[in-house]
């Protein structure tokens, strides 16, 4: 698929915009959440750098390893528990919402924050991240 997306700017734009529409809480109206300039800039970054393939590589490798198979999304063997103090922010409408209990088993969870409704792509709007980081620190 990456080869086809690298071959067609229109195909790449359609793919990226469809993902953004489905993965954000825009209710089907991209322009209610994003400017045309922002969306075009995002498409251009992938097109001019020809980097859609490398951005998809991790997902392909994880899928082949069974990490995204639903019954074992952490991979074939659970990693060792991470003891570094960890803060996690989740959005209520994530595509795959991490259960807090699972996070507590995997890491030393010292801060859990349910962020305002806006979906996975809200991360591109940084003020909310600064607020969360200040709270964690």
């Amino acid at each position: 698929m990456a080869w086809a997306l690298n071959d067609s700017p229109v195909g790449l734009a359609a793919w990226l915009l469809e993902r953004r529409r489905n993965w954000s809480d825009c209710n089907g109206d991209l322009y209610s959440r994003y400017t045309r300039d922002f969306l075009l800039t995002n498409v251009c970054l992938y097109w001019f750098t020809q980097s859609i393939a490398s951005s998809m590589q991790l997902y392909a490798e994880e899928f082949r390893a069974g990490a995204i198979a639903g019954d074992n999304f952490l991979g074939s063997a659970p990693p060792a528990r991470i003891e570094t103090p960890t803060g996690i922010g989740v959005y209520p409408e994530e595509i795959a919402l991490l259960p807090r209990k699972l996070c507590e088993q995997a890491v030393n969870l010292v801060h859990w924050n349910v962020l305002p409704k806006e979906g996975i792509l809200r991360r591109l709007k940084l003020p909310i991240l600064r607020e969360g980081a200040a709270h964690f620190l």
Side-chain angles (χ1 to χ4, degrees), residues 24-108:
S24 63
D25 69 339
C26 67
N27 295 322
D29 180 14
L30 276 173
Y31 305 125
S32 69
R33 292 279 179 217
Y34 308 102
T35 66
R36 293 179 200 280
D37 283 342
F38 175 84
L39 295 169
L40 184 57
T41 298
N42 186 255
V43 172
C44 287
L45 285 172
Y46 285 103
W47 179 251
F48 295 144
T49 61
Q50 296 288 288
S51 59
I52 193 68
S54 61
S55 73
M56 298 169 110
Q57 182 176 353
L58 175 64
Y59 297 104
E61 289 173 5
E62 291 294 312
F63 185 78
R64 280 193 293 275
I68 307 176
D71 59 339
N72 186 12
F73 67 88
L74 290 176
S76 55
R81 179 177 161 81
I82 298 170
E83 294 303 329
T84 304
T86 304
I88 297 177
V90 295
Y91 293 96
E93 302 217 0
E94 285 280 1
I95 296 168
L97 187 60
L98 290 173
R100 182 177 181 154
K101 187 171 191 134
L102 182 63
C103 293
E104 289 170 343
Q105 293 171 0
V107 300
N108 176 13

Side-chain angles (χ1 to χ4, degrees), residues 19 48 60 70 79 104 112 137:
R19 293 285 182 252
F48 295 144
E104 289 170 343
W112 179 266
L137 298 173

